[in-house]
């Protein structure tokens, strides 16, 4: 891990060292679109699924229960969050079906971390807005998608159909937690999809509160 990556890791540990204990309770009302993303994974038997920035493990547990014959992996840059995720899947008695690794999303190597080259599904739920080099993280995620596989992303939109005062208050509040919604996410995804020969499905949800994207690689 580079000096810059280590610095971001320490920042995330500091931000979530205490918050991780109440994260899921407080975030359930405004991290919209996560369950829709999970439902769209369509992970059958033997399908390998990676969550980039798995946080508390909330999404992985939901996916594990929805797709009981798929293989799951989780990575996060924060050791504090990984500790919470591991405890959560153990409490849910699902620890035998998921593997975890610490790493940076911009250069994550699944071969080194898990001994496998690529995944059939990779998903990023409200992580793009927290990663400084978010384009680099998406590019790396696409490189880790196997031919015929897909990358699924949900994150904050620009609240384009919501009142301006709501957007101003939300963005101010998110800034306290080092969260920055990416205004040019769609444009970046168009470029990344083209560079990988992938198709892009991009949908605003809840009047633009959140954006859901799926990039599919050709076989």
């Amino acid at each position: 891990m580079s000096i810059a990556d280590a610095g971001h890791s320490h920042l995330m540990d500091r931000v979530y060292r205490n918050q991780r204990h109440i994260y899921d309770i407080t975030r359930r009302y405004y991290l919209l679109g996560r369950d829709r993303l999970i439902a769209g994974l369509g992970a059958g038997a033997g399908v390998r699924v990676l969550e980039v920035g798995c946080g508390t493990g909330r999404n992985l547990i939901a996916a594990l229960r929805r797709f009981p014959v798929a293989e799951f992996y989780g990575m996060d840059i924060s050791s504090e969050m990984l500790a919470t995720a591991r405890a959560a899947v153990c409490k849910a008695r699902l620890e035998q079906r998921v593997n975890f690794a610490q790493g940076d999303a911009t250069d994550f190597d699944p071969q080194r971390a898990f001994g496998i080259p690529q995944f059939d599904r990779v998903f990023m739920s409200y992580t793009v807005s927290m990663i400084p080099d978010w384009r680099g993280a998406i590019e790396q995620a696409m490189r880790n998608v196997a031919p015929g596989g897909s990358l699924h992303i949900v994150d904050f939109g620009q609240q384009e159909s919501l009142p301006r005062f709501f957007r101003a208050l939300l963005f101010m509040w998110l800034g306290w937690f080092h969260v920055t919604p990416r205004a040019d996410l769609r444009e970046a995804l168009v470029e990344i999809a083209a560079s990988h020969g992938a198709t892009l499905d991009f949908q605003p949800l809840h009047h633009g509160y959140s954006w859901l994207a799926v990039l599919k690689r050709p076989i």
Side-chain angles (χ1 to χ4, degrees):
M1 189 178 295
S2 69
I3 294 175
D5 296 339
H8 186 58
S9 174
H10 293 153
L11 172 61
M12 292 298 97
D13 281 347
R14 187 168 68 251
V15 169
Y16 292 111
R17 180 164 289 115
N18 296 317
Q19 279 196 59
R20 63 193 174 101
H21 301 295
I22 59 171
Y23 185 93
D24 290 330
I25 295 174
T26 58
R27 268 60 174 181
R28 63 181 298 183
Y29 300 107
Y30 69 88
L31 296 186
L32 307 180
R34 294 183 296 175
D35 292 334
R36 184 165 174 173
L37 177 152
I38 291 169
L41 293 174
V47 170
R48 292 171 170 170
V49 184
L50 169 72
E51 180 176 16
V52 176
C54 62
T56 63
R58 180 267 183 196
N59 296 325
L60 281 173
I61 290 172
L64 283 158
R65 288 171 172 164
R66 189 178 186 95
F67 305 109
V69 291
E71 301 175 17
F72 286 90
Y73 302 82
M75 60 80 58
D76 203 289
I77 199 169
S78 168
S79 60
E80 298 285 349
M81 281 300 206
L82 283 173
T84 299
R86 288 190 175 99
V89 296
C90 285
K91 184 177 180 180
R93 298 183 179 179
L94 295 167
E95 67 274 14
Q96 298 301 316
R97 293 188 49 222
V98 60
N99 292 288
F100 292 101
Q102 185 176 11
D104 179 70
T106 62
D107 64 357
F108 185 69
D109 181 355
Q111 188 67 54
R112 184 171 62 244
F114 299 121
I116 59 176
Q118 290 176 307
F119 304 92
D120 304 295
R121 306 285 187 274
V122 176
F123 70 99
M124 305 171 73
S125 173
Y126 287 92
T127 56
V128 169
S129 55
M130 299 192 68
I131 299 173
D133 182 12
W134 58 275
R135 289 174 183 255
I138 296 173
E139 283 279 9
Q140 184 61 31
M142 278 300 294
R143 284 191 284 270
N144 288 336
V145 174
S150 53
L151 169 63
H152 303 246
I153 298 172
V154 68
D155 216 300
F156 292 107
Q158 291 296 296
Q159 289 73 54
E160 51 267 30
S161 299
L162 294 170
R164 289 185 179 182
F165 77 87
F166 179 85
R167 179 182 187 276
L169 289 174
L170 177 63
F171 280 26
M172 180 179 67
W173 187 78
L174 292 175
W176 295 342
F177 299 100
H178 306 278
V179 177
T180 306
R182 310 303 182 183
D184 54 343
L185 176 61
R186 183 170 189 167
E187 290 76 10
L189 293 178
V190 169
E191 294 176 3
I192 292 170
S195 69
H196 289 271
T199 61
L200 170 64
D201 179 28
F202 188 94
Q203 301 179 49
L205 305 179
H206 309 289
H207 303 286
Y209 178 90
S210 56
W211 290 341
L212 177 66
V214 180
L215 296 86
K216 293 184 178 181
R217 291 194 61 181
I219 296 176

